[in-house]
Amino acid sequence: MHTQTASMNYKNSYKATKKELVSLSVYNVGYQKCDALYQWGPGVRDHYLIHYVISGCGHYEQNKKSYELHAGDAFLVYPNQEITYYADVDDPWEYAWVGFNGSDALSILNATDFTKEHPYINDTPFGEQIRHQLMCIYEVRGNEFEQAVEMTGRLYTALALFMQGATKKPPQTSYDGYVQKATSYISINYSYPITVEDVAAYVGLSRSHLFRSFERVLQCSPKEYLTDFRIRQACALLKQTDLSVTAIANSVGFENNLYFSKAFHKIKGISPKKYRTDARAQTP
């Protein structure tokens, strides 16, 4: 059992090795009381990351802007944006955090007061409840499927609190709306042999306009997003079932087994068969 005192610095964190839930999945979670000037960055994350400041203060830097944050504040790290954050020299902060991603993430965050231009919230409404939910995510941590579901459930609750505390409902940009509609369509239809042209037709855009929307919002192309989405589903099937590689390729929307294997190797660095062997070797 972990114990702590006011003068003791600590860090407790957990990183999920399985990220199989598509709509929303916890990547990491933890809490830390930092040393003076303890720093992360400069660097980028490949997922969203929320920190809630429990006590003390620190600084968050993004897009060449610096924000001083205190107990009760929260800040959001967006994927693929260079950031730095560090603890104050005199009153170093203590915070809890959760990292996550998924097709629901963007639409939920757009309903909060976080924006790329204003990536923090001062005096976060429902702050104590948010802190409690983040700690609960840590308490139920684990890589079994039921634990992943419970972590995601707690995450939805925490994000709902940010939504309830939103002071304004900013109009959604057309780019965000197009990407949300496209990613929702992909999450439902990825198992069919849909193409980027099909996605664009569903959203009601030209392929080039859809490409610009994805690049602006997600910093990737629609084709890259669709392929990565399918490969993630393939990984889950490789680990959880005894289906053949051909059957899995068909199940996630690849009609050509060779193309599936090449796409899988490009993203994962190994073949589907090797991935399955390695994943099962790691399972106790």
Side-chain angles (χ1 to χ4, degrees):
M1 182 175 179
H2 179 79
T3 59
Q4 63 195 60
T5 66
S7 61
M8 181 184 298
N9 297 328
Y10 62 84
K11 179 178 181 180
N12 290 289
S13 63
Y14 168 76
K15 294 182 180 179
T17 58
K18 300 179 181 179
K19 307 179 182 75
E20 297 164 358
L21 298 177
V22 175
S23 297
L24 200 65
S25 186
V26 173
Y27 278 38
N28 52 72
V29 64
Y31 57 99
Q32 179 173 1
K33 182 171 178 59
C34 299
D35 292 318
L37 297 178
Y38 173 86
Q39 177 172 317
W40 191 93
V44 299
R45 301 293 195 182
D46 65 354
H47 54 274
Y48 297 97
L49 184 63
I50 289 177
H51 285 70
Y52 175 76
V53 183
I54 299 170
S55 64
C57 62
H59 302 264
Y60 176 48
E61 297 178 356
Q62 175 189 294
N63 293 333
K64 299 181 179 179
K65 294 181 180 179
S66 180
Y67 311 98
E68 182 175 316
L69 302 173
H70 302 266
D73 298 342
F75 66 91
L76 172 64
V77 176
Y78 285 85
N80 304 313
Q81 288 207 336
E82 184 174 335
I83 54 94
T84 300
Y85 51 93
Y86 58 92
D88 186 73
V89 63
D90 297 317
D91 188 16
W93 54 12
E94 173 187 11
Y95 49 55
W97 76 85
V98 62
F100 58 94
N101 216 334
S103 57
D104 281 352
L106 181 61
S107 58
I108 292 173
L109 290 170
N110 282 340
T112 72
D113 281 343
F114 290 120
T115 66
K116 288 185 177 179
E117 294 72 29
H118 196 281
Y120 64 94
I121 300 173
N122 293 128
D123 297 321
T124 311
F126 308 107
E128 181 56 30
Q129 295 178 54
I130 290 169
R131 184 199 67 80
H132 174 71
Q133 291 302 326
L134 297 184
M135 299 301 284
C136 285
I137 296 172
Y138 180 79
E139 292 300 323
V140 301
R141 65 193 181 279
N143 277 308
E144 296 303 319
F145 188 64
E146 62 268 26
Q147 293 166 323
V149 170
E150 187 167 1
M151 286 193 298
T152 296
R154 294 285 187 174
L155 175 58
Y156 271 116
T157 301
L159 294 175
L161 291 167
F162 280 108
M163 293 170 65
Q164 292 173 34
T167 57
K168 61 182 182 299
K169 303 296 181 184
Q172 187 182 74
T173 68
S174 58
Y175 288 109
D176 288 337
Y178 295 147
V179 170
Q180 287 177 35
K181 191 173 182 180
T183 55
S184 177
Y185 178 80
I186 289 171
S187 69
I188 295 171
N189 296 283
Y190 73 91
S191 62
Y192 299 98
I194 59 171
T195 64
V196 173
E197 286 77 8
D198 295 324
V199 179
Y202 175 79
V203 177
L205 297 176
S206 67
R207 178 168 178 159
S208 60
H209 196 166
L210 184 68
F211 178 88
R212 289 194 297 273
S213 298
F214 267 76
E215 286 287 339
R216 179 162 180 167
V217 176
L218 298 180
Q219 292 79 52
C220 69
S221 70
K223 183 177 181 180
E224 288 170 338
Y225 182 91
L226 175 58
T227 301
D228 185 70
F229 193 98
R230 283 170 163 160
I231 296 302
R232 286 185 62 192
Q233 311 319 306
C235 288
L237 291 174
L238 285 165
K239 288 185 285 189
Q240 297 173 3
T241 75
D242 292 320
L243 290 170
S244 67
V245 171
T246 298
I248 290 174
N250 291 331
S251 299
V252 298
F254 288 91
E255 293 185 304
N256 184 302
N257 185 46
L258 180 59
Y259 178 65
F260 166 69
S261 295
K262 287 183 177 179
F264 192 98
H265 192 280
K266 182 177 180 180
I267 291 176
K268 292 296 181 179
I270 56 176
S271 69
K273 289 183 178 179
K274 175 65 173 171
Y275 181 89
R276 169 178 274 169
T277 300
D278 291 350
R280 293 187 174 180
Q282 296 172 8
T283 302

